[in-house]
């Protein structure tokens, strides 16, 4: 009996030790998730603190290289959820304003969205962990893994790791050659090289590979510096375009009249006047000018707040509205369109919005669950544009439209 009691006590003591160890490991994992997640989010709020986000990505890679695939997945998903929740903290209010949902459903919807998108971080960390266990050399494929996840993973928020380094303008010049994906790949390459230098798996640093990766990063940075100087030189030689941005909430009564009055007051000092998105009415896509009020009325939905938006203008106006095709009057689908209108009231150019706002303009998965559009308060469908061509002003200048 005495030996049995001693054995039972020992087993209980050992079980208690395992429980304490598991508790400590869980606490350490949660602490790591919190630290990494907050670091990842910093530059979303303060772009000049990009170094904090870089350190957060390095910590995530180091953790994944030295941890199990399961814990790496948890670390990536947890830190990604926290980072995206902080980065897009304004979204619950936006969801409330643009849907029929109320709190706490808006908050729950937001959390589900960021948890879904955090799987990019989780899957990336999982890939790093699995690859490192097979061969440390596989870690150099991490930039390709990350870019593939950014490009292929269906998301609501159109973010990329490149957005965490917007204050590092020389690196951003890569977008001219390889788009956002090129910038993201270069950042991840620098992250991997730093992680291997600080804490390589197995304790052996692949100095040659690290040096090669850093040389690539330095070359990309140096090219960006040169390109910035070239752009600065072009700007010094270019003509000056003076722009007046008139901001009045289009939902206000008499918003068009208020914007027109403010525009007329400053038009002598500018070359182009900008009005907000959705500041005009809904027009048939064949409308070519605003010269004939009767024709404009025939080719637009009623009531139309802007049958003659640029009355009295001596400069060009760039304003947002919507267009529809045959059979789409009063029901859509619509195109979120920017109109470039010259002083003679001729529509000289149009740009159709290509990236729609999730929840506000479309609902992810709406083709599978059409009834979800009702709670999202989406009464009409929007069609994405397909062209990114800039608009050409009367003076020959080309302007890109960001809506």
């Amino acid at each position: 009996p005495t030996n049995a009691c001693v054995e039972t006590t020992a087993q209980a003591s050992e079980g208690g030790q395992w429980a304490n160890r598991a508790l400590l490991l869980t606490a350490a994992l949660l602490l790591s998730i919190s630290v990494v997640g907050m670091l990842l989010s910093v530059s979303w709020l303060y772009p000049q603190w990009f170094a904090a986000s870089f350190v957060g990505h390095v910590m995530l890679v180091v953790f994944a290289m030295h941890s199990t695939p399961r814990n790496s997945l948890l670390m990536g998903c947890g830190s990604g959820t926290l980072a995206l929740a902080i980065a897009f903290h304004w979204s619950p209010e936006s969801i409330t304003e643009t849907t029929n949902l109320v709190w706490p459903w808006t908050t729950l919807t937001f959390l589900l969205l960021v948890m879904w998108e955090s799987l990019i971080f989780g899957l990336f960390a999982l890939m790093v962990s699995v690859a490192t266990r097979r061969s440390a050399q596989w870690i150099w494929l991490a930039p390709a893994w990350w870019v593939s996840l950014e490009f292929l993973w269906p998301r609501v928020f159109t973010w990329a790791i490149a957005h965490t380094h917007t204050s590092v303008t020389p690196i951003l010049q890569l977008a001219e050659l390889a788009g956002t994906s090129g910038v993201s790949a270069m950042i991840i390459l620098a992250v991997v090289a730093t992680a291997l230098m600080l804490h390589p798996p197995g304790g052996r640093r692949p100095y040659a590979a690290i040096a090669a990766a850093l040389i690539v990063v330095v070359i990309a940075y140096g090219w960006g510096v040169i390109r910035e100087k070239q752009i600065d030189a072009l700007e010094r030689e270019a003509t000056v375009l003076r722009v007046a941005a008139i901001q009045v909430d289009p939902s206000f009564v008499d918003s068009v009249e208020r914007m027109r009055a403010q525009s007329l007051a400053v038009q002598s000092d500018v070359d182009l006047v900008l009005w907000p998105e959705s500041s005009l009415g809904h027009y048939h896509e064949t409308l070519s000018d605003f010269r004939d009020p009767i024709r404009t009325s025939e080719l637009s939905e009623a009531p139309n707040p802007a049958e003659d938006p640029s009355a009295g203008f001596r400069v060009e106006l760039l304003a947002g509205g919507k267009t529809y095709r045959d059979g789409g009057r009063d029901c859509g689908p619509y195109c979120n369109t920017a109109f470039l209108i010259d002083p003679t009231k001729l529509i000289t150019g149009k740009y159709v919005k290509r990236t729609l706002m999730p929840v506000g303009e479309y609902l992810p998965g709406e083709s599978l669950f059409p009834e979800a559009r009702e709670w999202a308060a989406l009464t009409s469908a929007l069609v994405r544009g397909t062209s990114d061509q800039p608009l050409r002003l009367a003076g020959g200048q080309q302007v890109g439209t960001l809506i």
Side-chain angles (χ1 to χ4, degrees):
T2 302
N3 292 337
C5 290
V6 171
E7 183 177 353
T8 301
T9 302
Q11 291 176 348
S13 176
E14 183 178 353
Q17 292 177 357
W18 276 106
N20 291 334
R21 183 184 178 189
L23 183 61
L24 289 174
L25 290 175
T26 301
L29 179 61
L30 291 175
L31 178 61
S32 300
I33 287 174
S34 300
V35 172
V36 172
M38 286 188 288
L39 286 173
L40 292 175
S41 70
V42 168
S43 63
W44 288 98
L45 306 179
Y46 307 99
Q48 67 274 21
W49 292 359
F50 68 91
S53 294
F54 184 85
V55 171
H57 284 96
V58 171
M59 292 177 64
L60 177 61
V61 170
V62 169
F63 182 94
M65 289 192 302
H66 296 274
S67 187
T68 64
R70 174 181 175 274
N71 285 342
S72 299
L73 179 64
L74 291 175
M75 164 63 84
C77 290
S79 59
T81 298
L82 179 59
L84 294 176
I86 295 174
F88 298 100
H89 62 277
W90 46 266
S91 294
E93 181 179 355
S94 178
I95 294 173
T96 301
E97 293 176 351
T98 56
T99 71
N100 293 325
L101 294 177
V102 296
W103 190 90
W105 297 111
T106 52
T107 302
L108 177 60
T109 300
F110 171 66
L111 290 177
L112 290 175
L113 290 175
V114 296
M115 289 174 64
W116 168 257
E117 302 206 3
S118 72
L119 283 171
I120 292 179
F121 292 91
L123 292 174
F124 174 71
L126 176 65
M127 291 176 179
V128 171
S129 178
V130 172
T132 305
R133 286 171 170 261
R134 294 189 175 185
S135 173
Q137 296 179 351
W138 285 95
I139 189 64
W140 293 110
L141 292 176
W145 300 334
W146 180 271
V147 169
S148 297
L149 288 169
E150 274 191 355
F151 186 78
L152 298 175
W153 193 259
R155 289 173 293 162
V156 173
F157 305 109
T158 54
W159 59 271
I161 189 178
H163 298 146
T164 65
H165 287 64
T166 54
S167 59
V168 191
T169 53
I171 288 294
L172 295 185
Q173 305 313 309
L174 281 175
E176 182 179 349
L177 301 177
T180 305
S181 297
V183 179
S184 294
M186 194 58 59
I187 294 172
I188 292 296
L189 181 62
V191 165
V192 170
T194 304
L196 289 173
M197 179 61 72
L198 294 176
H199 196 16
R204 298 183 60 182
R205 293 178 175 83
Y207 288 107
I210 292 174
L214 293 179
I215 288 173
V216 172
V217 174
V218 170
I219 291 175
Y221 188 92
W223 179 85
V225 171
I226 295 173
R227 186 58 181 153
E228 282 188 313
K229 291 181 179 179
Q230 293 174 342
I231 294 173
D232 290 340
L234 291 173
E235 289 181 347
R236 288 191 295 269
E237 297 174 359
T239 57
V240 175
L241 180 68
R242 298 167 299 174
V243 179
I246 308 299
Q247 182 65 51
V248 175
D249 190 332
S251 65
F252 289 174
V253 176
D254 297 330
S255 61
V256 172
E257 286 73 14
R258 294 169 62 178
M259 286 187 285
R260 185 187 295 116
Q262 294 182 27
S263 302
L264 292 173
V266 299
Q267 68 170 338
S268 299
D269 301 319
V270 300
D271 305 301
L272 176 67
V273 172
L274 299 182
W275 286 4
E277 182 178 2
S278 302
S279 55
L280 304 181
H282 296 184
Y283 310 94
H284 192 278
E285 63 179 1
T286 59
L287 181 68
S288 58
D289 61 72
F290 291 94
R291 295 168 177 170
D292 184 351
I294 296 178
R295 177 170 172 77
T296 301
S297 178
E298 293 174 348
L299 294 176
S300 62
E301 293 183 0
N304 184 358
E307 290 187 351
D308 190 6
S310 59
F313 281 29
R314 299 190 303 273
V315 296
E316 292 176 279
L317 169 66
L318 182 59
K322 287 186 172 64
T323 56
Y324 58 88
R325 298 175 180 174
D326 290 337
R329 181 169 182 158
D330 298 321
C331 62
Y334 300 98
C335 292
N336 193 337
T337 305
F339 297 83
L340 180 61
I341 309 168
D342 73 5
T344 69
K345 304 181 183 180
L346 178 68
I347 300 174
T348 59
K350 295 178 185 177
Y351 170 83
V352 177
K353 186 174 184 177
R354 295 182 299 143
T355 303
L356 301 180
M357 184 180 72
V359 181
E361 294 181 322
Y362 82 100
L363 194 67
E366 63 180 27
S367 59
L368 299 176
F369 305 100
E371 61 276 4
R373 290 179 58 85
E374 181 177 348
W375 65 258
L378 296 175
T379 57
S380 59
L382 288 179
V383 179
R384 291 177 172 84
T386 58
S387 174
D388 60 355
Q389 291 300 307
L391 302 176
R392 184 177 293 275
L393 304 181
Q397 304 96 332
Q398 296 188 84
V399 294
T401 306
L402 297 178
I403 59 170

